[in-house]
Amino acid sequence: MNYTKKRWIILVASCFINLCIGSLYAWSVLAGPMAEYLSQLNGVKLTARDLSIVFVIANAVGPITMIGGGKINDTLGPKLVVLIGGLMFGGGMFLSGFANSVGFLIFSYSLLLGLGLGMVYGATISTSIKFFPDKRGLVGGLTTATFGISSVIIPPIAAAIMSATGPTTAFKIIGVVFAVIVCGSAFFIEKCPADFIPDGWTPPALKGNAKAPVNMDWKGMLKTPIFYVMIVLLTCGAFAALMFIPLASPIAQKMIGMSAAAATAAVSVLALFNVLGRVLAGTISDKIGRINTLRLACIFSIIALILMYISGEGSVVTFYIAICLIGICFGAFMGVFPGFTADQFGPKNNSVNYGIMFIGFAVAGTIGPIILNYIYNVSGSYQNAFLFAMLFSVLGLVLTFVYRALRKNAT
């Protein structure tokens, strides 16, 4: 079988799948109508900010199934993992249409959907990376970009369905459609042969005196100091965006004074630049190196957070520049890290290894919104939260130099 040609079909299928599961990031738009529905149902006033815990938990549980599903993926192949994960994801979305409380949403959306997302996301990205050893940055960017662009495509579709049928029916319809697409696309995905080399490409290990790639398992990875630098770097790089994204629409309305429609448009712009950052940074990292790309992302993140800190009522231009930069920087980390992990620890066990590395993302997605809510409750303002996030970006910048020093000492 000519996998050099078939790998492109596998990549396209993976992108379709990630387009569906990336709807997780549409939560900031979906949360408002659902909060209103639950408020009317139970006679208790709920806001989108009250439902942010649903998004926080959904982000936090992903690595659990990324690691468990990654082991199955590395041994039996990705098809089974995507099928099971797709049923969980679509089923969680569908069951969310029956939610009558925040607790029910935590079960259906946070746990069932979130765990399913972890299985599918890990399998599609790791499989694509293995099939494209010659284009890891680009492919990592493409597969994560389709995940990110979902938050641009899904919100207007969901809004149209909600306006016609209500939020509960929208969840049900979207859940069924996503389950069909994800599970159907799973049949086009295959396990990458261990000895696969694309036609016309020579592995670096076969050129001159280049070292052969080291394929570490998760135990070996955890013994290296570079792993801990990388996972904290991922946490720092993702922190600002994951603090901001779940509440992007309410922040735009309360801090800048935007209308609900204008805030929704801002969320779409943020998502578009998130997607742009994934593809652009992934491609650039193939040329200038992963760590150099991440260093640039940290620098631009610091600039973005300064702009967010000084933004206030009516600061629309400053706000838009800031969210564009936040989107690009977040996209850079999401697009670069799958290939970065495979480069560092080898592609053989990348499903499990990247699943463990993704814990850094989950930590950022868990503590970010919590800190934002805490600072807002204490001060009545969002500004200080961006100042706090800036410290994470500065730490990330420092860690890029620590990584370089450790790599230099290892050679």
Side-chain angles (χ1 to χ4, degrees):
M1 184 178 293
N2 188 347
Y3 280 109
T4 300
K5 292 182 178 179
K6 190 168 186 178
R7 64 179 182 161
W8 291 99
I9 297 175
I10 294 169
L11 176 61
V12 170
S14 296
C15 288
F16 267 112
I17 291 168
N18 287 355
L19 183 65
C20 293
I21 64 173
S23 58
L24 174 74
Y25 288 109
W27 179 252
S28 67
V29 175
L30 297 171
M34 200 61 186
E36 184 178 344
Y37 168 77
L38 292 177
S39 296
Q40 293 174 353
L41 184 67
N42 299 307
V44 178
K45 179 62 176 175
L46 291 173
T47 65
R49 196 156 57 89
D50 295 321
L51 295 186
S52 63
I53 185 65
V54 177
F55 179 86
V56 169
I57 296 175
N59 259 299
V61 300
I64 297 173
T65 41
M66 281 186 72
I67 296 169
K71 184 63 177 177
I72 300 172
N73 185 31
D74 287 336
T75 53
L76 300 179
K79 199 184 305 291
L80 179 63
V81 178
V82 175
L83 279 171
I84 296 173
L87 289 172
M88 291 173 64
F89 183 89
M93 183 74 76
F94 179 78
L95 287 177
S96 295
F98 295 93
N100 54 16
S101 66
V102 177
F104 193 107
L105 274 176
I106 289 174
F107 163 72
S108 61
Y109 197 95
S110 302
L111 297 179
L112 190 57
L113 182 149
L115 290 170
L117 184 150
M119 291 186 73
V120 175
Y121 186 72
T124 55
I125 292 178
S126 294
T127 299
S128 299
I129 290 290
K130 289 176 182 178
F131 271 108
F132 288 86
D134 51 332
K135 298 178 176 67
R136 283 178 184 158
L138 172 63
V139 170
L142 287 173
T143 50
T144 59
T146 48
F147 182 83
I149 203 171
S150 179
S151 58
V152 179
I153 297 173
I154 300 302
I157 296 174
I161 298 173
M162 280 191 284
S163 65
T165 65
T168 56
T169 302
F171 274 105
K172 294 171 187 175
I173 293 173
I174 294 171
V176 171
V177 172
F178 285 172
V180 171
I181 295 175
V182 173
C183 293
S185 299
F187 290 96
F188 294 92
I189 297 180
E190 297 185 24
K191 182 180 180 181
C192 183
D195 58 350
F196 172 68
I197 297 176
D199 294 344
W201 180 70
T202 303
L206 301 181
K207 296 178 181 179
N209 297 320
K211 292 183 179 180
V214 177
N215 282 302
M216 294 186 186
D217 61 12
W218 66 273
K219 295 178 183 178
M221 180 180 71
L222 293 182
K223 291 178 181 178
T224 66
I226 282 181
F227 163 75
Y228 297 97
V229 172
M230 288 176 64
I231 194 170
V232 177
L233 174 59
L234 177 57
T235 302
C236 292
F239 181 86
L242 290 178
M243 179 188 77
F244 176 73
I245 287 174
L247 294 169
S249 182
I251 289 173
Q253 293 177 58
K254 293 183 179 180
M255 193 171 91
I256 309 300
M258 289 183 171
S259 65
T264 300
V267 172
S268 296
V269 170
L270 170 65
L272 282 171
F273 277 85
N274 175 11
V275 171
L276 175 63
R278 293 173 191 235
V279 179
L280 186 62
T283 305
I284 290 173
S285 73
D286 282 335
K287 294 178 170 55
I288 70 171
R290 318 289 184 217
I291 199 65
N292 291 332
T293 305
L294 296 176
R295 182 175 299 153
L296 287 173
C298 288
I299 292 171
F300 282 115
S301 179
I302 293 169
I303 295 171
L305 291 166
I306 292 173
L307 293 174
M308 287 297 295
Y309 179 70
I310 64 175
S311 294
E313 187 80 23
S315 303
V316 176
V317 174
T318 305
F319 179 76
Y320 262 100
I321 294 172
I323 65 172
C324 290
L325 288 175
I326 287 174
I328 287 178
C329 296
F330 179 57
F333 272 86
M334 293 301 98
V336 168
F337 248 88
F340 191 26
T341 305
D343 289 346
Q344 186 63 50
F345 305 109
K348 181 180 178 181
N349 303 300
N350 197 49
S351 298
V352 174
N353 290 348
Y354 183 59
I356 294 173
M357 188 70 71
F358 205 72
I359 292 173
F361 172 90
V363 169
T366 301
I367 65 175
I370 292 174
I371 289 174
L372 180 68
N373 277 324
Y374 175 78
I375 291 175
Y376 181 82
N377 289 334
V378 170
S379 65
S381 170
Y382 290 110
Q383 262 80 4
N384 289 336
F386 297 112
L387 195 63
F388 189 88
M390 197 187 308
L391 297 177
F392 277 80
S393 294
V394 171
L395 176 58
L397 179 60
V398 172
L399 288 174
T400 64
F401 291 97
V402 174
Y403 170 86
R404 181 69 74 191
L406 289 174
R407 286 285 293 172
K408 185 177 180 180
N409 291 335
T411 56

